[in-house]
Amino acid sequence: MPPISDLFGIECLANSLIFHAAPDRIAGNNVSVHTPPIQTISIDDSLLTATSDDGDSDLVALKNDHRIENLRARQRAYVDATFEASPIARVIRRDWNILSVKLYINALSHSYRQQIEADMTEFATQVHETATDIRLMPFGHLERSWLRPRSMKIQVVHPITGMWLRSMRTLDEIYAILICAEKTGLISARKRQAIMLPCHLSYLAFKCTAMKIQLKTSDELLTAENL
């Protein structure tokens, strides 16, 4: 990853990424997961938007509980996790159960599991390298009492999702540092977004692969907009 100083000037050149998804049905698992035919994910998504309080309670229930409960997983572990940064908590609340189910089903194919693992490794690497850079930045003591931690009960149904959870916990730590630094005027919102952008994009890549969502090409996007 390039130095953080090189990332400060990065700007998003598109307002959204548009993906195409199809329903998956796996015989013998009694699991039917349907995703909308067109899914739009904003480039300025939760991982890039800092908000200290979105009105959620301190103990947050994840979405799509019924989907992961109905999954006939070979292994299942329960983890109590707490996230300081509300944008990261929102991503986990929104994505964890549905992505875990889709990942579990799609990873039944050994060859496709390797693709998921490759994108997960890339995401974990981006998070680790970004965390290393941020911990070296001279922020000093940052006031964190204004943050509102969210606690969640998370089900881990696959080794890859265990790696995903570890990376998200690290991402939460560095995101909390950045929004506190921004609040005290040490960095701007634009700089924070530039620092987080490599992690954001690698997370989208992992999510698309795990859920078998196909990213449209730039030519397809331009054609769709009659440009």
Side-chain angles (χ1 to χ4, degrees):
M1 188 182 74
I4 286 180
S5 59
D6 294 339
L7 294 176
F8 286 166
I10 294 177
E11 295 185 9
C12 299
L13 301 180
N15 290 328
S16 64
L17 297 175
I18 301 177
F19 304 91
H20 180 269
D24 286 342
R25 297 181 184 274
I26 303 297
N29 283 280
N30 287 340
V31 175
S32 176
V33 180
H34 180 78
T35 53
I38 295 294
Q39 181 176 0
T40 302
I41 303 178
S42 172
I43 263 294
D44 191 19
D45 203 16
S46 296
L47 293 181
L48 295 179
T49 305
T51 305
S52 63
D53 189 348
D54 60 5
D56 290 341
S57 61
D58 292 336
L59 181 61
V60 178
L62 275 61
K63 293 185 176 181
N64 296 300
D65 274 346
H66 64 288
R67 293 187 181 274
I68 201 166
E69 290 293 347
N70 292 335
L71 181 69
R72 294 183 178 179
R74 297 187 182 96
Q75 59 184 18
R76 194 182 298 264
Y78 295 83
V79 178
D80 292 324
T82 300
F83 298 92
E84 282 191 291
S86 60
I88 304 300
R90 289 199 301 272
V91 169
I92 291 292
R93 178 175 180 266
R94 178 194 67 204
D95 288 355
W96 185 267
N97 285 340
I98 187 64
L99 200 156
S100 293
V101 171
K102 296 280 282 188
L103 183 152
Y104 183 92
I105 294 171
N106 292 328
L108 292 174
S109 165
H110 177 71
S111 60
Y112 197 76
R113 171 175 173 161
Q114 292 178 322
Q115 296 181 45
I116 299 173
E117 288 176 334
D119 280 348
M120 179 64 249
T121 299
E122 175 62 24
F123 172 55
T125 299
Q126 289 289 350
V127 170
H128 174 74
E129 291 181 354
T130 302
T132 299
D133 289 341
I134 289 174
R135 288 164 183 157
L136 293 175
M137 298 183 79
F139 289 143
H141 174 74
L142 294 171
E143 177 58 48
R144 299 167 75 127
S145 61
W146 66 281
L147 295 172
R148 182 181 172 187
R150 270 73 167 178
S151 298
M152 307 177 188
K153 290 188 176 295
I154 293 175
Q155 294 189 45
V156 178
V157 296
H158 196 281
I160 299 177
T161 61
M163 186 178 183
W164 174 28
L165 178 59
R166 289 191 295 273
S167 294
M168 292 303 286
R169 280 176 154 169
T170 302
L171 195 64
D172 177 66
E173 176 195 348
I174 62 179
Y175 200 99
I177 291 173
L178 289 177
I179 58 178
C180 288
E182 180 186 346
K183 186 177 178 67
T184 57
L186 296 174
I187 60 172
S188 66
R190 183 176 176 180
K191 287 182 179 181
R192 171 182 52 77
Q193 292 175 357
I195 293 170
M196 291 296 295
L197 186 59
C199 295
H200 175 69
L201 295 179
S202 60
Y203 177 73
L204 287 181
F206 161 67
K207 179 177 177 178
C208 289
T209 300
M211 298 184 71
K212 281 193 175 179
I213 298 174
Q214 183 178 357
L215 175 63
K216 287 189 175 183
T217 67
S218 58
D219 287 342
E220 289 172 331
L221 292 174
L222 292 173
T223 300
E225 296 297 328
N226 295 318
L227 297 176

